[in-house]
Each structure stands twice: as structure tokens, then as C-alpha cells.
Amino acid sequence: MAGLDAPAHVRFWREKNRDFSTWFLLLSEEGRRAVVDEAGGPDFTERGPGQGGHMKPTDILLPELTKAGLLASGGRVLVLFFTRRCIEKCTEVDTKMLQTLFDKNVLPKFSNEFDKFKIAAIDPQTEDILGLPESCTPEQQAHVEARLAAGTLLYADVYLARRLRQDTIATFLNALITIFDREAPKTPASA
């Protein structure tokens, strides 16, 4: 169990998940929508692109962050999303999802810096960048590909997308916490 090194939203959820859930779920539909609108800002679409619609990079990286989706079932989906982001090992799930998008050539690119390399990878533990030039040997390429397959390296585009996804979700969850702290009635124990 992580202590103070856990992200702020995880520490909050451990202490106040029931208070937050009760507060949010008891808000009116309009109240819940106002909270999601404020926390999500203008980047959260109502429903996503739909079939045949133009997809923005955020639609691909953050498919679950739509207003209609988060507000479904009277707001329970938002509470479930918050819970899952705080108790599950989301890094592995995010990496797998983004790697699949990368493999299908659907993952948005956020930097052209890596285009000059045959393979651009990042060590997720150290954040060291490994750029394999086009002139690399087959042995060098095989070594890097083995590390990618083992998960000790990630393709640079996957790593950057994961960082963006996780930072965006953390920002959203922290905004929900700020709204809760400002708007929720204070009980004598929490005042």
C-alpha cells in the first residue's frame, strides 16, 4: 500500500471516497453536469465522435472521458471511473491499450522528434531515450525489440501518449477533488 508517495487523488480516494460518492450521486442531474463541465473543461465532448465522426487525439487517448459517459447511470460511471483509477494498476492497462493503438497505427503522434530513428524507445523506469538509427545492425535491432517485447522499453510514442493520458486523467480527478472540497457540505468531523 503506497503512502505519501501515492498521487494526491489516490490519497484522497482512500480517505474520502464514500463522502465524495455520496455527495456527487445526491447532486441533481444539472449539478453533476456542472461538476463534470467544470472539472473536464472544454476538451470533454458530450458523446465522443460517434460513427464516422472526426476523432480528435483526445477521443483516441481518453475514450472514457465524455460527459455523457461519465454522467451515465446517474453519475455512477464517474464514481466507478474514479475508483478504478485509484485502486487498480492502471499503468499496465494504459500501456496495453496504447500499445494496441500503436500496433494498429492509430495512436496519435505528439512529437516528430523520433521519426529520424528506426526505433525510438524509452526506458519507463529511468525515462532514458534510446534512438536506434537506420544504420543499426540486425543484432542491435533484435536486442531492442527483445526489450520492447519484455516491457523493459516502450516505444517512445506509446510512452508519451501514456504520460499524456495519465496526466490528463490526474488533472481531471484533482479538479473533481477541488470542486468537492469547495462545494460539499462540511460535517463537524471534516470542518
Side-chain angles (χ1 to χ4, degrees), residues 12-13 15-25 27 35 38-39 78 82 172-187 190:
F12 169 86
W13 200 248
E15 296 174 19
K16 297 185 179 180
N17 67 66
R18 284 192 179 145
D19 295 337
F20 177 88
S21 301
T22 301
W23 167 76
F24 186 74
L25 295 173
L27 290 172
V35 169
E38 182 180 341
L78 182 140
F82 205 146
F172 172 64
L173 298 177
N174 288 325
L176 290 172
I177 292 166
T178 299
I179 297 166
F180 171 78
D181 287 342
R182 182 187 70 220
E183 301 290 333
K186 306 292 183 234
T187 60
S190 65

Side-chain angles (χ1 to χ4, degrees), residues 2 20 34 42 65 74 97 123 127 137 152-153 188:
F20 177 88
L65 294 186
M97 177 193 85
D123 181 324
E127 296 189 334
T137 66
T152 60
L153 288 176

Side-chain angles (χ1 to χ4, degrees), residues 1-170:
M1 180 178 202
L4 293 177
D5 60 332
H9 61 274
V10 173
R11 292 191 312 270
F12 169 86
W13 200 248
R14 286 184 190 138
E15 296 174 19
K16 297 185 179 180
N17 67 66
R18 284 192 179 145
D19 295 337
F20 177 88
S21 301
T22 301
W23 167 76
F24 186 74
L25 295 173
L26 289 177
L27 290 172
S28 66
E29 184 177 337
E30 295 79 24
R32 288 189 300 271
R33 177 169 291 281
V35 169
V36 170
D37 285 344
E38 182 180 341
D43 289 331
F44 283 29
T45 59
E46 182 60 33
R47 296 195 183 283
Q51 285 196 300
H54 173 71
M55 292 187 74
K56 300 182 303 188
T58 52
D59 296 331
I60 297 168
L61 287 184
L62 303 156
E64 61 272 75
L65 294 186
T66 64
K67 293 174 188 177
L70 291 168
L71 294 169
S73 297
R76 288 181 195 85
V77 172
L78 182 140
V79 172
L80 179 61
F81 176 75
F82 205 146
T83 302
R84 284 187 171 160
R85 292 308 297 189
C86 292
I87 65 170
E88 292 181 358
K89 295 191 183 293
C90 295
T91 298
E92 291 111 22
V93 173
D94 290 346
T95 301
K96 186 176 180 177
M97 177 193 85
L98 296 167
Q99 182 63 51
T100 300
L101 293 172
F102 179 82
D103 292 343
K104 292 179 178 180
N105 204 25
V106 178
L107 186 69
K109 290 183 80 149
F110 295 100
S111 174
N112 293 327
E113 290 295 312
F114 305 120
D115 290 347
K116 59 188 170 195
F117 298 108
K118 186 169 193 164
I119 299 175
I122 296 179
D123 181 324
Q125 299 300 316
T126 64
E127 296 189 334
D128 290 339
I129 299 171
L130 179 104
L132 206 56
E134 291 291 337
S135 61
C136 70
T137 66
E139 293 80 17
Q140 291 170 321
Q141 183 174 343
H143 176 72
V144 170
E145 288 172 345
R147 289 189 63 197
L148 286 163
T152 60
L153 288 176
L154 296 175
Y155 284 101
D157 290 327
V158 172
Y159 181 82
L160 292 176
R162 186 181 78 186
R163 287 282 305 266
L164 180 60
R165 175 178 165 77
Q166 291 177 334
D167 289 351
T168 301
I169 290 170

